[in-house]
Amino acid sequence: GSVPGPTLRVRQGDRVVVTLVNHLPVSTTIHWHGLRLPNAEDGVAGVTQNAVQPGASYTYDFIVKDAGTFWYHSHQDTGNQIPAGLFGALVVEPSEGNVLQALDQTVVMHDMPGGSTLALNGVPGQSHISAAPGENVRLRIINAAPPSMDGGPEAPVLIGAPYRIVALDGHDLAGPGLLGPERIPLGIGQRADLVFTMPAQGSVELVTTQIHGKVDPIEQLIGADSPQASLVIGSGDLPAMPDLTRVPVFDETTYGSNEADPVAAGPFDQTDSVVLGEHPGFRDGGPQLIHTINGSASPNVPPIVVHEGDLVRLHIINQTAEYHPMHLHGHVMSVIAVDGESLRGSPLQLDTVLVGPHETIDVAFRADNPGIWMFHCHVLLHAAFGMDMM
Ligand code: C2O
Ligand code: CU
């Protein structure tokens, strides 16, 4: 009955049982984006289960291994069903320790169903939540907003308090330092957790911007549209709004402390190239901007076959001028290098890696979860136009 759907909060190690009851006139499923769970619970219609028909029910049943910020969404006809509202936040609290701040708040960025008005937690424009001076806050930002054809990320900016980005895609960063206002690029599907302390007086504001085209100084100017949605935290005066076109873009490759990541270090049992391309053509009975992986469009992209336990490296080459947030189901990818340069900051463990225009990114993952898993661009149009593989 709501958009987004209810926020599900569970504890790491919990057995989670969710029954999907389909009251829609069309078939659907639920995918648990970012969770490492058994293949049969992954919710991919036509791959891990049949789509759940109108009037039918389906029960998902799994044990949650990973703590962090995740989300769930339909994985049937996603280009229509996600923009129409079939998604929600999923928070997994750790089994040990306590990450909860006085205020622990999910912020889902999404389009209002039936249009392309950006909203935060179902509210377009400006919304408010209360927080007391000195209170510690954790914002769990989830990008569920379909971008325009260029696939460009949302880039929310936090104004009014220094903060740390403590996790990306639900995985903790090492040694996250304090930041001032920065535009944090989040491709559709990605998440960022921000932690800060409320100032002694006045409020803190999270404002949205978008990034289009390549992230360079000129195009940043084009990208910093006037804010479309904002969340005000606390009461009192609003913080002074900086010139958003001059706010720097957060660089995840240099943030935090440069600790070792055994998955990114190799040696690798197998390396595969994943070349992202596009060209106009004829597909599904009509003209289309066909989106390809290794020269073919889904369902004709040859799968990558690996053995259980292998350490696999993917060499992702973006030959387009678009952004492609590439999402691997059921596993966590460690970033090795961006355009051939190793990370200088914290290890990055992601389920969705944002590959910028003409960028090359190397990632690695441990193939420790048997089954048929999707690897696809999370830009719903690009996926519908063929940018998916197994
Ligand atoms: Cu968030 Cu294959 O999906
Ligand atoms: Cu894409």
Side-chain angles (χ1 to χ4, degrees), residues 149-151 276 291 320 322-326 377-379 381-383 387:
M149 195 61 188
D150 70 0
L276 308 175
H291 278 63
T320 76
E322 301 169 338
Y323 281 86
H324 302 293
M326 297 300 296
C377 180
H378 217 292
V379 175
L381 276 176
H382 299 176
M387 201 171 266

Side-chain angles (χ1 to χ4, degrees), residues 168-349:
L168 291 173
D169 281 5
H171 300 278
D172 289 350
L173 299 181
L178 276 178
L179 293 170
E182 296 201 12
R183 302 172 71 199
I184 305 168
L186 290 178
I188 179 171
Q190 297 189 296
R191 292 86 65 206
D193 287 27
L194 275 51
V195 168
F196 60 91
T197 302
M198 287 299 294
Q201 44 187 295
S203 53
V204 172
E205 189 170 8
L206 183 77
V207 298
T208 64
T209 70
Q210 287 81 35
I211 292 174
H212 299 290
K214 194 156 173 64
V215 181
D216 67 32
I218 304 276
E219 271 138 339
Q220 269 182 49
L221 291 175
I222 306 168
D225 304 323
S226 49
Q228 294 170 322
S230 87
L231 176 67
V232 176
I233 304 132
S235 53
D237 291 342
L238 289 177
M241 183 66 56
D243 176 355
L244 291 173
T245 63
R246 295 182 179 279
V247 171
V249 174
F250 171 67
D251 181 1
E252 63 183 16
T253 67
T254 58
Y255 181 65
S257 46
N258 193 218
E259 291 175 5
D261 180 342
V263 171
F268 305 106
D269 296 297
Q270 175 168 338
T271 295
D272 293 87
S273 286
V274 176
V275 180
L276 308 175
E278 53 148 330
H279 62 269
F282 216 73
R283 185 171 170 271
D284 283 345
Q288 209 176 71
L289 194 53
I290 298 175
H291 278 63
T292 59
I293 299 180
N294 296 335
S296 304
S298 170
N300 300 320
V301 184
I304 292 174
V305 180
V306 303
H307 295 103
E308 185 175 0
D310 280 359
L311 197 55
V312 181
R313 174 171 161 251
L314 299 178
H315 182 60
I316 309 171
I317 302 164
N318 182 359
Q319 293 185 336
T320 76
E322 301 169 338
Y323 281 86
H324 302 293
M326 297 300 296
H327 173 46
L328 178 62
H329 285 219
H331 297 78
V332 179
M333 299 177 282
S334 287
V335 177
I336 303 168
V338 176
D339 283 336
E341 279 201 45
S342 306
L343 299 180
R344 284 183 286 137
S346 167
L348 293 173
Q349 282 138 6

Side-chain angles (χ1 to χ4, degrees), residues 97-149:
N98 187 8
V99 296
L100 296 184
Q101 308 294 337
L103 177 63
D104 187 290
Q105 175 72 43
T106 54
V107 182
V108 185
M109 302 187 287
H110 65 96
D111 280 357
M112 290 302 285
S116 53
T117 310
L118 192 67
L120 301 178
N121 296 336
V123 186
Q126 196 176 66
S127 50
H128 294 80
I129 52 174
S130 50
E135 203 165 81
N136 290 329
V137 180
R138 185 183 187 110
L139 292 185
R140 301 172 181 270
I141 306 171
I142 300 165
N143 183 14
S148 50
M149 195 61 188

Side-chain angles (χ1 to χ4, degrees), residues 73-104:
H73 60 79
S74 159
H75 217 294
Q76 165 76 323
D77 190 15
T78 53
N80 289 308
Q81 295 195 1
I82 293 178
L86 294 183
F87 56 84
L90 171 64
V91 175
V92 184
E93 295 169 6
S95 53
E96 276 168 32
N98 187 8
V99 296
L100 296 184
Q101 308 294 337
L103 177 63
D104 187 290

